[in-house]
Structure formats: structure tokens, C-alpha cells
């Protein structure tokens, strides 16, 4: 089996599990697949096309690329590949780049404003085209990085949801790659030779907090390879009784369970065996 085939199988399993766990794709769906030209969105589109061929339900895909007016953006490269794939697609052009430059002071992060403007364009496009879902290419690493960013800089435990109904009630955002590891996506994109289009607007900002968190996770992963997987697992295994949210505490007031410190669930705490051994050593006589 080739590297591309092996990675495709692994990623299809991850996407299939996410779709099944969160009901991301349903019979009769018309899904807008946001294609930026990066490795994640190309992989997302490829996997959804494969799943469409195999799925026991019927759903349609339309790939949508948004040219945000960045100087030199090679929209023709993206369109050429979409045409070669034979997938229905639409190329949108909205000069949000100038708006971002006007609204964001020099040296400040452009991502929040850029993403809001992009989201608005995609929401409107989905409604106009009668799409029931908007598929985005966020993966496992995006979710765990967002978890740490939110906790460290916003004081909240939250991340990117696999499925989210927008406040306007018109759109549902799905993230079929939420279980997929970034390194697998990068390797697959390279093996498939997707025409990668970088985001120069974001890439020109070296001090983004997300980049710092990504570097921290990379360092921790070198020490313990399961770090990212454990953080993803934590997102799906919340213990409300062991948190400080007062609303949650009222809901789980009578909950029972092990205490991470008293019951030594942390690897840096003493184990039950350690406690017993200490008691034996200190027993008089």
C-alpha cells in the first residue's frame, strides 16, 4: 500500500468517526466546502468526495473559494485544480483584505477581523446556494490549540465545536477533520501533490499567540508523544464535578468520583502503593 493510500485510509476513518459521532452529514445535505487552497481544505474536499462515493446516504458538495483581495493571490491555481477534480464549485471575490488593513492597527493580529469577514461571506453564499452545511478544514491540532488559547488568554474552557448552528439560524458549520492529526494531513497533502496556496496575510505575523501555543505543544510532544491525543481525549471526557463552574456544580452536586490529587491520578502525585509503603516505614516498632 502506498503512503498516499495508507494516509487516505487513516484520514477517512478519522473523518468517518467524527461524522458518525456528531451527525455531521445527513441524508439530503448540500454541503458548502470552504476551500482556501491550503493543505487542510484540499484534504477535507478530497475526503468528502471519497465519502460521497461510498456513503449509504445521498449528499451533494459544492466547493467554494474566496479570493479576499490579497495581492498576488493565485485564484487561478485553485480554480484549475477544482475544475480538474470535476467537483461543482464557485469562485467568490470580496476585497476583505483592504478592510482588514484599514481596521487593524499596524502590528496587531489580523486573524479575528479577517475570519469574521470571511465567515460572513461564506454564510451568505451558503444561504444563496441553498446549502444546509458549511464544512471547514479545522483538525485535531486546531482544536487542542484553541483549547489552550482559550484557557490561557480568555479564561474559559472551550474549543472549536465539531458542529455549530450559527446565531443567525441559517447555517450549520461542521468540522469533519476534528479527529485528524495535522501531521497526517500534511503528509497526505504532500503525497497527493495538492497545489498549496499559503495565507500570506497571516503568515506575515510571527508573534501570533497561536504560533506560540503550537510551539509549546510541539515541545511537549517531543517529551511525550501522546500530549495532543490526550488533549483531544480530554475535550470529549469532561468531568463537570471537578471544575469550578458554579452552574455545573449545581447540576452535579451529588456526583462522586476520584479526586486527581487525593486519589493520585496525576503522575507527579504519590500512588496508593507509595502511601502504603510510607505508612509501613513510619509504623512504630
Amino acid at each position: 500500500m502506498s503512503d498516499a493510500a495508507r494516509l487516505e485510509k487513516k484520514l477517512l476513518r478519522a473523518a468517518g468517526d467524527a461524522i458518525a459521532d456528531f451527525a455531521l452529514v445527513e441524508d439530503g445535505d448540500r454541503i458548502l466546502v470552504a476551500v482556501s487552497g491550503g493543505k487542510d481544505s484540499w484534504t477535507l474536499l478530497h475526503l468528502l468526495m471519497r465519502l460521497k462515493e461510498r456513503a449509504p446516504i445521498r449528499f451533494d458538495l459544492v466547493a467554494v473559494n474566496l479570493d479576499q483581495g490579497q495581492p498576488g493571490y493565485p485564484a487561478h491555481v485553485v480554480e484549475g485544480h477544482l475544475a480538474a477534480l470535476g467537483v461543482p464549485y464557485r469562485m467568490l471575490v470580496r476585497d476583505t483584505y483592504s478592510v482588514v488593513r484599514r481596521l487593524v492597527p499596524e502590528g496587531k493580529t489580523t486573524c479575528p477581523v479577517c475570519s469574521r469577514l470571511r465567515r460572513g461571506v461564506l454564510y451568505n453564499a451558503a444561504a444563496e446556494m441553498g446549502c444546509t452545511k458549511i464544512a471547514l478544514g479545522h483538525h485535531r491540532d486546531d482544536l487542542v490549540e484553541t483549547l489552550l488559547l482559550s484557557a490561557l488568554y480568555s479564561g474559559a474552557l472551550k474549543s472549536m465545536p465539531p458542529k455549530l448552528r450559527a446565531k443567525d439560524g441559517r447555517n450549520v458549520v461542521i468540522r469533519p477533520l476534528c479527529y485528524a492529526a495535522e501531521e497526517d494531513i500534511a503528509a497526505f497533502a504532500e503525497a497527493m501533490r495538492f497545489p498549496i496556496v499559503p495565507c500570506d496575510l497571516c503568515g506575515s505575523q510571527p508573534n501570533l499567540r497561536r504560533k506560540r501555543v503550537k510551539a509549546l505543544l510541539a515541545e511537549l510532544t517531543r517529551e511525550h508523544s501522546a500530549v495532543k491525543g490526550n488533549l483531544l481525549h480530554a475535550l470529549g471526557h469532561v468531568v463537570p464535578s471537578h471544575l469550578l463552574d458554579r452552574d455545573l456544580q449545581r447540576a452535579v452536586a451529588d456526583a462522586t468520583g476520584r479526586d486527581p490529587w487525593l486519589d493520585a491520578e496525576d503522575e507527579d502525585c504519590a500512588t496508593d502503593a507509595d502511601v502504603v509503603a510510607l505508612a509501613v516505614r513510619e509504623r512504630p516498632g
Side-chain angles (χ1 to χ4, degrees):
M1 182 181 291
S2 68
D3 287 344
R6 176 182 57 80
L7 288 164
E8 180 186 64
K9 183 178 180 180
K10 185 176 182 179
L11 290 167
L12 280 171
R13 185 184 304 113
D17 287 346
I19 288 171
D21 286 351
F22 302 105
L24 301 185
V25 179
E26 299 167 288
D27 191 41
D29 270 342
R30 177 174 169 82
I31 302 174
L32 183 158
V33 186
V35 177
S36 66
K39 67 182 191 312
D40 306 329
S41 61
W42 282 133
T43 298
L44 172 65
L45 178 61
H46 177 94
L47 296 177
L48 287 176
M49 290 177 67
R50 288 290 180 269
L51 290 170
K52 184 178 185 297
E53 296 169 358
R54 307 175 183 182
I57 60 174
R58 297 182 62 181
F59 62 92
D60 294 320
L61 303 173
V62 54
V64 173
N65 172 257
L66 173 59
D67 180 350
Q68 296 181 256
Q70 293 175 230
Y73 179 75
H76 64 284
V77 173
V78 177
E79 184 170 13
H81 191 64
L82 291 174
L85 291 175
V87 65
Y89 69 90
R90 280 190 61 180
M91 305 295 293
L92 304 178
V93 180
R94 304 286 189 278
D95 185 12
T96 62
Y97 178 85
S98 297
V99 177
V100 171
R101 287 303 188 194
R102 186 175 70 251
L103 295 179
V104 180
E106 189 68 28
K108 295 294 184 179
T109 302
T110 61
C111 291
V113 176
C114 182
S115 63
R116 288 192 190 98
L117 293 171
R118 182 171 61 245
R119 180 179 61 198
V121 174
L122 292 177
Y123 278 10
N124 288 333
E128 291 169 6
M129 292 187 288
C131 294
T132 55
K133 306 275 177 62
I134 299 174
L136 304 179
H138 298 120
H139 45 66
R140 178 199 70 177
D141 295 55
D142 290 322
L143 267 66
V144 300
E145 289 164 14
T146 300
L147 172 65
L148 292 185
L149 281 166
S150 178
L152 293 171
Y153 297 106
S154 299
L157 286 177
K158 61 180 182 179
S159 184
M160 297 176 174
K163 185 177 184 179
L164 175 70
R165 181 171 296 279
K167 291 181 179 179
D168 62 11
R170 297 184 303 167
N171 296 287
V172 176
V173 173
I174 60 173
R175 295 181 169 92
L177 297 183
C178 62
Y179 288 163
E182 183 176 22
E183 58 264 28
D184 292 334
I185 293 172
F188 181 66
E190 183 176 358
M192 294 296 292
R193 297 183 179 179
F194 292 142
I196 305 301
V197 177
C199 178
D200 295 327
L201 181 62
C202 296
S204 63
Q205 302 173 89
N207 296 318
L208 289 177
R209 287 174 174 173
R210 183 172 291 274
K211 288 189 175 183
R212 297 177 66 186
V213 167
K214 182 183 285 289
L216 172 62
L217 283 170
E219 179 182 347
L220 293 172
T221 300
R222 286 192 291 270
E223 298 173 5
H224 184 50
S225 61
V227 163
K228 294 178 183 178
N230 286 342
L231 283 170
L232 184 71
H233 187 269
L235 282 172
H237 295 78
V238 179
V239 185
S241 61
H242 288 45
L243 299 176
L244 301 182
D245 188 305
R246 291 188 294 276
D247 292 333
L248 281 176
Q249 284 292 333
R250 283 190 286 270
V252 295
D254 298 323
T256 61
R258 293 171 62 86
D259 184 278
W261 191 84
L262 292 176
D263 296 316
E265 290 182 2
D266 190 293
E267 64 178 8
D268 292 329
C269 295
T271 64
D272 292 343
D274 293 330
V275 174
V276 171
L278 180 62
V280 170
R281 286 199 303 272
E282 296 185 352
R283 184 180 300 162

